[in-house]
Amino acid sequence: MSRALNVDATIAEVIEFSAGHNAPISAIESLHPKGTRVVFVNGNDAAIIALAYGAKVMTGPVSRKPWTQQVLT
């Protein structure tokens, strides 16, 4: 599975949800007009999060904003 997911949730929600599942994030960005693109450190974590999010995983084309590095704390 790909390490990247598009999820119908905010960046803060994805960070909190991923931390709760011990799934380290490699990169994260907002999608336009809603949603978040998240890249995990490995495909197994992405698969676990995709299963946990279920129908909130966005399929098909999405509109991405110009990417800027997010600092995770």
Side-chain angles (χ1 to χ4, degrees), residues 2 8 18-20 22 29 35 39-41 46 54 59 68 72:
S2 171
D8 185 10
S18 299
N22 296 318
E29 66 182 279
V39 181
F40 293 94
V41 173
T59 58
T68 55
L72 301 177

Side-chain angles (χ1 to χ4, degrees), residues 21-46:
H21 285 82
N22 296 318
I25 294 171
S26 176
I28 193 165
E29 66 182 279
S30 294
L31 296 173
H32 179 74
K34 66 177 185 169
T36 299
R37 177 176 174 81
V38 58
V39 181
F40 293 94
V41 173
N42 65 61
N44 289 336
D45 288 336

Side-chain angles (χ1 to χ4, degrees), residues 48-67:
I48 290 166
I49 297 301
L51 185 61
Y53 264 119
K56 285 193 161 212
V57 174
M58 300 165 68
T59 58
V62 296
S63 295
R64 294 173 68 185
K65 296 180 180 180
W67 188 79

